[in-house]
Amino acid sequence: MPATPRPSAANRVRWAQFSMPSWDFVEDAPPLKVPYGRRARTSAKAVAGRAAVDLGSAAVAASVLAPIITVIDRAVVQKTAGNMALSMGELLKKGFAEAARAPGKFLTKREFRLVYGVYAATYAVANLSESVKAPKLLTVTPTNMAACIIKDRAFALMFGAKNPTTMALSSYALFAARDTLTIGASYSAPETVAAALRDATGGRLSEGGADALARMSLPAAAQLVSTPLHVLALDLYNRKVPAAQRMTLLKDLYVPTVATRMMRIVPAFGVGSMLTNKLRTAGLVRLGLMKAPPAAAPRSAGAVRWALATSASK
């Protein structure tokens, strides 16, 4: 009896594609990445590997940025409470000096652990949402909002102007509105704005450059609107005063607080978002779960000048 011919490579790939589990996480990988005869085991490894990379990159990025954000958040709450004679700059200088003198002690403080938890959770949910193709606005926003409100309430109790008491619902609502603006500017808008920047420059701005510019500038610009919400939420907790006095506080603190929160938001959602994306991409590429992004061809200074001159003459 003649031996049954082995299926061709194309037929084996086609059969493997239809027989694989539907929850497959191999991103942008060619079909032959799936070993013939090991489909289920490979898919399970892909799920575990992707989850490990998503969580690990989030943990590393949060650990890098949480010390900076902790110092800034504490200074803003202390200054808003009005119980510190120091300026915003002096509060920041004092906080960074404290962290540099005793980093081990600083990393065990409750305020650091709260901030680390906020951004580790936010980055992790953003990464996992990318893996399962879930809309980040619907997953990252409630995660970041809940974690930030827990953190902000704790900071108000720890560094506020009065003994700990119940926070009003109006403060929670203002915190929620602030976080919705921040997440929209950090995760939903950058892709659209980056594409618009590429179109506006006729493709002269690289994809990576447009993405970096959008991710760094949009969260900072959102602070022009979200910072007054933050200050007002804290003031509602700290004081029971007429609305005119609250407006005076907003006017006095607007410029230094906006500048300080821009310093905070750029590392938190600009640098942090790019760092976790780079770590995640490197991990997925190393595990064979993603194609390596194409490397940009190096260009000499003369080539760049020639390209700009050519485009300007058109």
Side-chain angles (χ1 to χ4, degrees), residues 119-280:
Y119 291 98
T122 300
Y123 298 152
V125 171
N127 288 346
L128 293 168
S129 300
E130 186 74 24
S131 291
V132 300
K133 310 301 181 189
K136 291 182 182 178
L137 190 63
L138 299 181
T139 57
V140 180
T141 300
T143 301
N144 180 263
M145 188 181 299
C148 276
I149 288 175
I150 292 170
K151 184 265 296 179
D152 288 328
R153 180 181 181 278
F155 270 50
L157 298 179
M158 294 162 64
F159 307 115
K162 62 180 182 180
N163 293 329
T165 186
T166 303
M167 182 171 283
L169 289 177
S170 55
S171 291
Y172 288 118
L174 289 167
F175 283 145
R178 174 206 63 190
D179 292 335
T180 301
L181 284 171
T182 300
I183 294 299
S186 303
Y187 287 102
S188 300
E191 292 183 5
T192 303
V193 172
L197 287 172
R198 291 267 294 160
D199 292 340
T201 59
R204 290 191 296 274
L205 185 61
S206 68
E207 184 176 348
D211 183 69
L213 181 59
R215 288 185 183 279
M216 296 287 282
S217 60
L218 289 176
Q223 298 313 299
L224 297 170
V225 179
S226 65
T227 294
L229 302 178
H230 179 73
V231 172
L232 184 57
L234 292 173
D235 194 48
L236 285 169
Y237 171 78
N238 287 320
R239 305 187 300 167
K240 291 184 178 180
V241 295
Q245 292 188 31
R246 299 197 192 282
M247 294 302 105
T248 301
L249 178 70
L250 286 175
K251 180 181 177 181
D252 293 342
L253 293 184
Y254 183 79
V255 173
T257 308
V258 165
T260 303
R261 283 184 60 82
M262 281 184 175
M263 289 170 49
R264 170 199 185 279
I265 211 69
V266 168
F269 287 103
V271 178
S273 178
M274 289 190 293
L275 177 59
T276 189
N277 283 342
K278 287 184 179 296
L279 292 172
R280 177 177 178 273

